[in-house]
Amino acid sequence: MEKPSKETLEKWRKDPNNWKWGFLYYNKEDKRLLPPKRIEWMGWTVNFANPKSVLLFVIFMVSIFFAMLLFNSFNSLLVKMSS
């Protein structure tokens, strides 16, 4: 499969039909994991039509959740030790 041109990638990003509810990017043709956001200087977003991209998003969110649990447990331990 041929890599899309910069013009095609830009057309996909600007196409309102590729944005669900105005902020969720969904384009089955776009194989990038993290395409640029609608306002490009704001960073990247997830392509919810790409299963690999969704998996990356889920792994990231689960990692944050477990990091918060670990921090909370560690903080509770420190509070108990200081009492």
Side-chain angles (χ1 to χ4, degrees):
M1 187 168 149
E2 190 176 312
K3 187 176 179 180
S5 68
K6 286 186 178 185
E7 292 81 19
T8 300
L9 295 173
E10 187 67 14
K11 184 181 84 172
W12 286 344
R13 185 180 66 79
K14 290 181 177 180
D15 185 354
N17 295 319
N18 291 334
W19 294 91
K20 305 300 178 196
W21 300 308
F23 67 96
L24 296 176
Y25 186 70
Y26 191 92
N27 181 356
K28 290 181 180 183
E29 295 179 83
D30 193 346
K31 301 301 177 198
R32 296 176 293 176
L33 289 180
L34 298 171
K37 287 190 175 190
R38 199 168 201 173
I39 302 172
E40 199 169 2
W41 63 266
M42 293 183 77
W44 298 273
T45 189
V46 175
N47 181 2
F48 286 95
N50 183 339
K52 292 178 185 176
S53 185
V54 173
L55 180 62
L56 180 67
F57 175 72
V58 169
I59 290 170
F60 178 74
M61 295 306 288
V62 168
S63 298
I64 288 177
F65 176 74
F66 280 115
M68 289 171 55
L69 283 178
L70 182 65
F71 177 77
N72 190 29
S73 298
F74 183 69
N75 193 29
S76 297
L77 180 64
L78 286 177
V79 169
K80 286 180 184 177
M81 288 176 63
S82 67
S83 329

